[in-house]
Amino acid sequence: MIETFDSLGDMSLFSQSGGIAGGISQALFTTQMGLAVAIPGLLVGRVLDQREQALTGELTKIKDILCAEDAGGAR
């Protein structure tokens, strides 16, 4: 679709519709580039969220162990 509207935009016979087609071509290209950036960003974000949850769980376990040892030694 991008190439079709781009070629329509380059046609000199239809100057008015060529301007519209050129704008549509540019909008489609911008959308394509936005998706090329957004999709990998979402995947990386999901991996980082999973890593955060794993680290939070590990830190919670360590805290519970340390607090249990402190409570046992205070008696």
Side-chain angles (χ1 to χ4, degrees), residues 56-68:
T56 302
E58 290 176 27
L59 289 173
T60 301
K61 289 177 187 177
I62 291 170
K63 179 190 69 139
D64 291 342
I65 290 170
L66 292 175
C67 288

Side-chain angles (χ1 to χ4, degrees), residues 38-59:
I39 292 172
L42 285 172
L43 295 175
V44 168
R46 181 66 180 143
V47 168
L48 291 175
D49 285 343
Q50 289 175 346
R51 183 68 179 144
E52 177 192 11
Q53 290 176 358
L55 288 173
T56 302
E58 290 176 27
L59 289 173

Side-chain angles (χ1 to χ4, degrees), residues 2-50:
I2 294 171
E3 290 178 17
T4 301
F5 281 108
D6 193 33
S7 66
L8 285 173
D10 291 340
M11 295 177 73
S12 62
L13 294 175
F14 306 105
S15 61
Q16 186 177 12
S17 64
I20 294 170
I24 293 172
S25 171
Q26 186 176 8
L28 288 172
F29 180 75
T30 304
T31 302
Q32 179 185 15
M33 290 297 106
L35 289 172
V37 171
I39 292 172
L42 285 172
L43 295 175
V44 168
R46 181 66 180 143
V47 168
L48 291 175
D49 285 343
Q50 289 175 346

